[in-house]
Amino acid sequence: SQQGEEDPQALSIQEGENATMNCSYKTSINNLQWYRQNSGRGLVHLILIRSNEREKHSGRLRVTLDTSKKSSSLLITASRAADTASYFCATDDYGNNRLAFGKGNQVVVIP
Amino acid sequence: GAGVSQSPSNKVTEKGKDVELRCDPISGHTALYWYRQRLGQGLEFLIYFQGNSAPDKSGLPSDRFSAERTGESVSTLTIQRTQQEDSAVYLCASSARGRQSYEQYFGPGTRLTVT
């Protein structure tokens, strides 16, 4: 069953602003991953945070994980038009060999 | 190096026909996954292959769906007697590690349209 549920579903921001999106999940996890999907490059892995980590950075991306609340957030700083895409969180459950993807956040960055 | 490739990129078929979708994973990746993505939706897990182990078929929606993988290389997803609700993008992904789902590398997908 789908675990990740991103919030908000759609976000429209001006170039240079920050974009924040959230994801919640239901069961214990090994790790949580964020992926980006756009028409040009398909689905691309952005960042992975393990269950024993609380925060992780990669370039302009900042991910937090709160296992007590079973939630994660993805922050994109200083957004660019090229960041326009759908962003999915995916959880890796204990005992499963698969990722459970959320429905995605659509982010539009206006130049 | 080369990424995950899928063929065909687009497939239009009539209801009731069988279709076969192909995935070439990244060389050396032992794990291979098939997902389905309906318009505006997230990814729905279909099937997982890990080396020579029995595949995890628990995501296949019906017995019209089947998949095979030859060793640690090419995989084919077959949909028999296609229905309109099968219309979706079918994505294949491979990973260097199978047991714990580390980063997955996705192919561009096959867009299937059943008329």
Side-chain angles (χ1 to χ4, degrees), chain B residues 12-34:
Chain B
V12 180
T13 190
E14 292 180 352
K15 178 181 172 181
K17 300 281 190 183
D18 297 351
V19 295
E20 190 172 279
L21 313 179
R22 177 186 169 107
C23 172
D24 281 275
I26 293 172
S27 178
H29 279 191
T30 58
L32 186 147
Y33 305 79
W34 282 98

Side-chain angles (χ1 to χ4, degrees), chain A residues 7-61:
Chain A
D7 173 58
Q9 299 289 316
L11 184 63
S12 184
I13 57 174
Q14 294 289 330
E15 198 166 32
E17 292 181 341
N18 296 340
T20 300
M21 59 206 88
N22 300 304
C23 166
S24 60
Y25 57 92
K26 295 183 174 66
T27 65
S28 296
I29 61 171
N30 281 320
N31 62 67
L32 184 144
Q33 304 178 36
W34 285 91
Y35 286 78
R36 178 179 65 208
Q37 185 178 41
N38 59 33
S39 58
R41 295 194 60 197
L43 198 69
V44 176
H45 177 270
L46 293 177
I47 194 166
L48 179 152
I49 186 166
R50 301 188 194 286
S51 59
N52 61 353
E53 296 176 312
R54 292 296 168 259
E55 186 170 315
K56 200 162 184 180
H57 296 254
S58 177
R60 294 184 294 112
L61 304 179

